Amino acid sequence: MAKVFQYQPVRWVIIEIIPAIDIREGRCVRLYQGDFDQETVFSDDPVEVALQWQSLGAPRLHIVDLDGAFSGEVHNLDIITEIASAVLIPTQLGGGIRQLETVEQMLKAGVERVILSTAAVEDQELIKRACQRFRESVIVGIDAREGYISTHGWRQETELGAVELARSMVELGVRRFIYTDINRDGTLTEPNFSAIAELINTIRRPVIAAGGISSLNHLNMLKTLGAEGAIIGKALYTGDIDLKRALATS
């Protein structure tokens, strides 16, 4: 009897620890479950924050233009460009990127990867063209609440399942994903391990996890599940996770 091949996700030797820098009205902030009315300001100088995470050994930075996510077009371009120019490590950017021209503009500004989320739901032709043209520089953000995708800065609910969207994106050529559990984001609880594991085992592509990561044990679990990376936001700013320790044990 022939053996049936069963896919096993890649178990990364390390998990990439990626500090998050969320920008709203020019400041570095964190939201609770994406709620703009539950905002904590951590710094008036996002560039300084970026340089701080770089100095502590961060291999990459995750930048979110919150104003852009809400409006549908990049708002904090000057700060984003300054961060990309100031740091020596690669950056990835999400928030309001819904045009192919904007993708190109961000890459020319020095950002290494762009994250397409709302566009993945509303403009699959854009995703296809972006993947053909920019390949590894394109990430699709899977932003889910109770398993279903939310768009437009997490303010619009859909009936589209997270795994369903990811599968369709793989068919269009997407090579990397970020999975964010909205209900866990900014809560310092724990990641949605079951949803992350399901996504990794289904799509067979690199997945970066976000939302609720607040301990070294969470990072170890995500690595065991096969996550390529972990985006850490609030836990770094509150001190629940020490970046140097996280990097040393990743």
Side-chain angles (χ1 to χ4, degrees):
M1 182 181 294
K3 292 184 178 179
V4 177
F5 174 75
Q6 292 184 331
Y7 170 76
Q8 295 295 325
V10 174
R11 305 303 177 186
W12 305 96
V13 176
I14 64 171
I15 184 169
E16 189 172 52
I17 309 299
I18 310 173
I21 300 175
D22 291 2
I23 304 171
R24 185 183 183 201
E25 297 179 350
R27 301 181 296 179
C28 180
V29 308
R30 292 299 299 168
L31 306 181
Y32 183 86
Q33 297 179 337
D35 187 346
F36 279 61
D37 294 326
Q38 298 190 65
E39 175 190 88
T40 303
V41 178
F42 284 100
S43 174
D44 291 326
D45 190 345
V47 179
E48 181 182 27
V49 173
L51 291 170
Q52 176 188 353
W53 295 139
Q54 175 181 259
S55 71
L56 293 174
R60 183 183 307 276
L61 297 174
H62 176 79
I63 306 169
V64 179
D65 182 346
L66 292 173
D67 302 298
F70 179 68
S71 69
E73 57 184 27
V74 176
H75 268 247
N76 293 281
L77 180 58
D78 289 346
I79 295 174
I80 292 163
T81 302
E82 190 175 352
I83 291 174
S85 299
V87 299
L88 301 176
I89 56 178
T91 59
Q92 57 191 38
L93 171 70
I97 304 174
R98 300 172 196 169
Q99 303 282 340
L100 193 65
E101 293 78 12
T102 309
V103 174
E104 183 174 16
Q105 180 186 21
M106 294 301 99
L107 296 176
K108 286 183 176 179
V111 174
E112 185 195 45
R113 298 171 178 169
V114 295
I115 304 158
L116 303 174
S117 301
T118 297
V121 177
E122 298 186 344
D123 191 349
Q124 295 201 353
E125 181 62 27
L126 166 62
I127 302 299
K128 182 178 179 180
R129 292 171 61 198
C131 289
Q132 290 173 341
R133 185 169 176 184
F134 302 113
R135 300 181 182 274
E136 293 287 345
S137 294
V138 175
I139 303 177
V140 160
I142 304 292
D143 302 328
R145 182 181 279 114
E146 305 295 340
Y148 294 95
I149 296 297
S150 293
T151 62
H152 296 84
W154 301 352
R155 292 192 168 202
Q156 291 188 21
E157 307 297 323
T158 77
E159 296 181 353
L160 179 63
V163 172
E164 179 186 355
L165 175 63
R167 281 177 171 154
S168 68
M169 292 297 104
V170 169
E171 293 178 0
L172 294 177
V174 176
R175 304 183 181 192
R176 177 172 282 103
F177 294 83
I178 294 174
Y179 176 86
T180 304
D181 187 292
I182 297 169
N183 286 339
R184 312 288 180 108
D185 195 68
T187 65
L188 298 177
T189 52
E190 67 176 19
N192 189 337
F193 293 116
S194 61
I196 293 165
E198 180 185 12
L199 187 64
I200 290 170
N201 284 298
T202 299
I203 64 173
R204 310 182 186 185
R205 296 291 187 277
V207 174
I208 301 169
I213 302 169
S214 57
S215 75
L216 298 183
N217 287 337
H218 293 165
L219 295 173
N220 289 331
M221 177 64 78
L222 290 171
K223 180 167 65 173
T224 300
L225 292 178
E228 180 193 43
I231 296 169
I232 311 178
K234 189 173 183 178
L236 287 178
Y237 292 91
T238 60
D240 286 79
I241 292 180
D242 178 88
L243 181 57
K244 282 192 172 181
R245 286 189 62 197
L247 292 168
T249 59
S250 65

